Amino acid sequence: MRASTRDQLLAACLYFMQCLSLTPVGNFIAIYFQYRHLDLNQIGLLIGAVYPFTQLLGQPIWCYFADVTNKHKLFLCLSLFLGTGIIFTLLFMKSFLHLALVFGAGGFLSSGVNPMIDSATMACIEHHSLPMTRYGHLRVFGAVGWGVGALVIGAMVDHFGVPVLFYDFAAFSIFYFVAVLVFPYYSPTSNNSNSSNRESVNPLSTEINKGEGSSYAVVVDGNDEETTHLLRQPHDQQQNCDDRHSNRVGGCKRQNEQQTRSFLEVLKYLIGQETVLLFMVLLVVMGMMKGVIDAFQFLFLKDLGGSGTLLGVTLATTTISEFPFFAYSGNIIRKFGALTVVFMSMAAYSGRLLYYSRLTNPWLVLPIELLHGITFSLSWSTVVAHAQAVAPPGNKTTVQGLFSALFWGLGFGSGAIAGGFVSSAYGLDMLFSFSATFCASFIILGMCWYLVEKSCHKRQRPVKPSFT
């Protein structure tokens, strides 16, 4: 078996076990908190404040130190082992204070796992000179894990009670840890070493590095000639790294370690690019919508009379919707561009939330759950690929952690916190209606922002870039 085929199979198994093990403490965690007699405000604070804050704080920290030390796999295993152990002890917590402390500690300790796995996968893809569209093909196996877990766990909750969630979590996590241990890790700091040897490696790219000073370009809206922003790096650094590719662990690795920037330098670099700043703002808004859905959808369905089996079928339906969009995400992003895909995802969020607000029969939630493929699978593939594209050399894992923190931390947390207060005051149906309107408003604002930025960019750079 070729090394590239073996590594892709290991990556597929890794994503499968990742999502399978997270299913019990993911969508079902609100059910467990309700089982512990917490009210909607308390559940909203735990899911929307405590956990997202730990992600916002922890993900950039874990990923930054992994980049600085170049010991990515060590930090990944440490984050997974410590976080899993602490989260399991939620089973023995009963009071709100104890649940909050343990949930927060477990969230912080495990926060580095997901972005570091995405970064490891992207590094593996680049190491084997595969197109970046391969990410979606591998990530789709995570959707399979969610689907299998949802069907199994939903039925087990009906038959054995809510506490079975944590026994499932512990059992699945053992296999997950083994998958992490056997997965080969290729340092993200060496990703640029292969970039001149292949074409179309990035679904956001329209320029191939020919050794003439540009590493690649990022497509913003699919209109290559007018809206592509070049990300440049010195040609002499790129060429020296390519010349020493056969000695990757030696010369090229040492050089890329020297390129690692401080976190504040990376943040300033990203914010200095107007299009990237817009992307980051919309990323937070999408995270807010995700927070509203994940924190309150299952509670809403339970209020309508839905059973644990329905919750499992609902999650399985969302999983099925992920398959085609993960598989073809690269082609869609290349055709329409990153921002267009983000606007598409936000439109799908608005439609999905508006549908919830009019729902009366819990089983009728299943058709609209097919939009999950657009709201999450397609949008998250864009986030991961865009982070890889805009990150400065030596800080790819850091940027993956930052983007993940904006979505799962700041965005998800804000949505869940606000959702808790709105739902307590006006009900869950009004929460979904308000969220749909809020998301639609940011689609309009985001488009206006982009058109203004595009107009300013044209005036500043009247000569269109030439692509080969």
Side-chain angles (χ1 to χ4, degrees), residues 43-116:
I43 294 174
L45 286 173
L46 286 177
I47 298 178
V50 175
Y51 180 78
F53 176 77
T54 64
Q55 303 304 293
L56 180 64
L57 180 65
Q59 288 182 338
I61 292 176
W62 280 102
C63 294
Y64 174 71
F65 281 105
D67 272 340
V68 169
T69 61
N70 204 31
K71 297 184 182 298
H72 299 83
K73 190 167 187 176
L74 173 62
F75 278 89
L76 172 58
C77 292
L78 190 63
S79 179
L80 177 61
F81 180 77
L82 295 176
T84 299
I86 295 299
I87 290 174
F88 178 76
T89 62
L90 281 172
L91 177 63
F92 309 105
M93 303 298 118
K94 296 182 179 180
S95 70
F96 172 74
L97 179 59
H98 290 163
L99 286 168
L101 291 174
V102 173
F103 196 47
F108 178 82
L109 291 173
S110 63
S111 62
V113 175
N114 291 347
M116 283 195 278

Side-chain angles (χ1 to χ4, degrees), residues 42 44 78 87 263 386:
Q42 292 174 321
L78 190 63
I87 290 174
F263 180 78
H386 204 56

Side-chain angles (χ1 to χ4, degrees), residues 286 290 293 317-326 329 332-333 338 340-352 368-383 407:
M286 288 196 299
K290 179 70 171 171
I293 291 176
T317 303
T318 63
T319 300
I320 293 173
S321 73
E322 294 183 1
F323 296 162
F325 287 99
F326 269 133
S329 59
I332 296 173
I333 298 168
T340 302
V341 171
V342 168
F343 288 134
M344 289 167 54
S345 299
M346 293 175 67
Y349 266 123
S350 294
R352 192 176 171 189
I368 200 65
E369 292 306 277
L370 295 175
L371 285 181
H372 175 79
I374 301 175
T375 57
F376 178 72
S377 307
L378 186 56
S379 64
W380 191 249
S381 296
T382 306
V383 171
F407 184 90

Side-chain angles (χ1 to χ4, degrees), residues 417-440:
I417 291 175
F421 290 109
V422 173
S423 60
S424 295
Y426 303 104
L428 289 170
D429 53 346
M430 287 300 298
L431 166 64
F432 295 139
S433 180
F434 175 80
S435 299
T437 304
F438 180 83
C439 187

Side-chain angles (χ1 to χ4, degrees), residues 136-205:
H137 297 162
L138 300 175
R139 181 59 179 81
V140 73
F141 286 90
V144 178
W146 277 114
V148 172
L151 291 175
V152 172
I153 293 168
M156 292 187 71
V157 168
D158 281 343
H159 287 83
F160 300 104
V162 175
V164 77
L165 292 171
F166 290 92
Y167 296 106
D168 292 337
F169 172 66
F172 295 152
S173 294
I174 295 174
F175 296 98
Y176 181 23
F177 192 75
V178 172
V180 169
L181 288 176
V182 300
F183 184 73
Y185 203 100
Y186 303 98
S187 175
T189 59
S190 63
N191 288 352
N192 291 326
S193 62
N194 291 343
S195 61
S196 64
N197 298 328
R198 63 188 186 275
E199 297 187 357
S200 300
V201 298
N202 196 304
L204 305 175
S205 177

